[in-house]
Amino acid sequence: MNRQRQHWDEVYTAKSPTEVSWYQPHLELSLAFIERVAPSRSAAVVDIGGGTSTLADDLILRGYTDISVLDISQLAIQEKKRGLGLPAEQIKWLVGDVCEFEIAASRYDVWHDRAVFHFLTLPGQRASYVTKAAVSVKKKGHLIVSTFGPEGPMRCSGLETARYDTAALEAEFGSSFRLADSQMEWHTTPSAKEQQFLYCLFQRV
Ligand SMILES: C[S@@+](CC[C@H](N)C(=O)[O-])C[C@H]1O[C@@H](n2cnc3c(N)ncnc32)[C@H](O)[C@@H]1O
């Protein structure tokens, strides 16, 4: 089994969805960005590395009808489907590594990633990620990427992480995407630690 996939499967075996450090009851900032750039409920939204997050639940509740969740961990997807129950049938579930996945071209109005990109510590992985995003986001569609900010942790879940300020994240996505907005957020983990996150909103050019 792929080492990364095994790592994430182990994380999701060891901890429940509300115990993981990145758990938030609702991804309020993400939801606000999504509703701002894609108010139509038929907009196609993909959550990259969605794991067991509550974003899919909240998008269903808000009436979105074309939601996809991609994650490298089969276990995370299974756990999320089980937790959602019947509404899980409304979601397209994709299992794979975002850097390698055969993602559909010009398919999505919104690409959302909270806390995945900062695990890509090799330039080649980041380049593949940006290519996948550029291929699958429609022209004028949007990308919401949330990473650890400059004061964020250097490791998460036993893995090294990169930290970004707005200019550094813009430099990663700048050739295919135009920066439209950015915001910092202090996230309180379930064990009451504070973690700085940067959210950047980009538009596909
Ligand atoms: C820190 S968690 C964040 C989960 C979720 N986005 C949230 O905010 O609650 C990172 C997630 O990304 C997934 N992941 C890590 N590397 C990935 C990759 N290369 N491709 C797809 N998913 C990945 C993990 O399995 C995990 O679910």
Side-chain angles (χ1 to χ4, degrees):
M1 193 197 284
N2 171 303
R3 240 166 37 93
Q4 260 179 293
R5 177 177 167 190
Q6 191 179 352
H7 173 85
W8 287 104
D9 278 351
E10 282 167 12
V11 169
Y12 284 108
T13 304
K15 289 191 173 170
S16 75
T18 55
E19 287 172 337
V20 291
S21 61
W22 53 90
Y23 171 72
Q24 264 192 331
H26 303 282
L27 304 192
E28 300 291 2
L29 201 44
S30 299
L31 287 162
F33 274 134
I34 293 170
E35 287 199 297
R36 181 172 127 196
V37 298
S40 161
R41 275 22 190 180
S42 60
V45 181
V46 62
D47 190 16
I48 301 297
T52 53
S53 109
T54 55
L55 186 72
D57 317 43
D58 284 332
L59 289 173
I60 291 174
L61 278 175
R62 285 165 202 227
Y64 283 88
T65 56
D66 188 352
I67 306 163
S68 304
V69 176
L70 181 144
D71 203 283
I72 199 167
S73 167
Q74 175 82 54
L75 271 183
I77 297 275
Q78 271 169 13
E79 172 72 25
K80 184 67 209 168
K81 275 179 162 174
R82 200 189 51 74
L84 263 173
L86 212 51
E89 291 175 15
Q90 296 175 41
I91 294 179
K92 294 154 200 81
W93 302 99
L94 311 170
V95 178
D97 180 339
V98 61
C99 302
E100 294 169 4
F101 196 78
E102 282 303 316
I103 201 140
S106 299
R107 167 74 175 86
Y108 300 108
D109 296 291
V110 179
W111 170 294
H112 173 267
D113 162 356
R114 174 174 178 267
V116 182
F117 189 77
H118 59 210
F119 288 106
L120 307 180
T121 51
L122 301 175
Q125 291 177 311
R126 294 197 293 277
S128 301
Y129 180 108
V130 174
T131 302
K132 297 288 178 191
V135 164
S136 73
V137 175
K138 295 176 188 171
K139 293 265 183 230
K140 303 250 159 69
H142 290 84
L143 179 83
I144 299 157
V145 184
S146 169
T147 65
F148 285 144
E151 296 168 49
M154 296 171 83
R155 295 186 74 78
C156 175
S157 273
L159 297 176
E160 200 186 319
T161 52
R163 302 182 292 178
Y164 292 92
D165 61 16
T166 304
L169 205 55
E170 189 180 13
E172 297 284 344
F173 290 93
S175 55
S176 306
F177 294 91
R178 180 187 61 81
L179 181 71
D181 202 354
S182 75
Q183 224 168 300
M184 290 290 182
E185 180 181 69
W186 284 96
H187 162 62
T188 308
T189 70
S191 59
K193 293 200 178 88
E194 297 286 311
Q195 294 182 335
Q196 188 191 41
F197 275 78
L198 166 72
Y199 284 73
C200 281
L201 171 69
F202 296 96
Q203 186 167 33
R204 179 80 173 91
V205 290

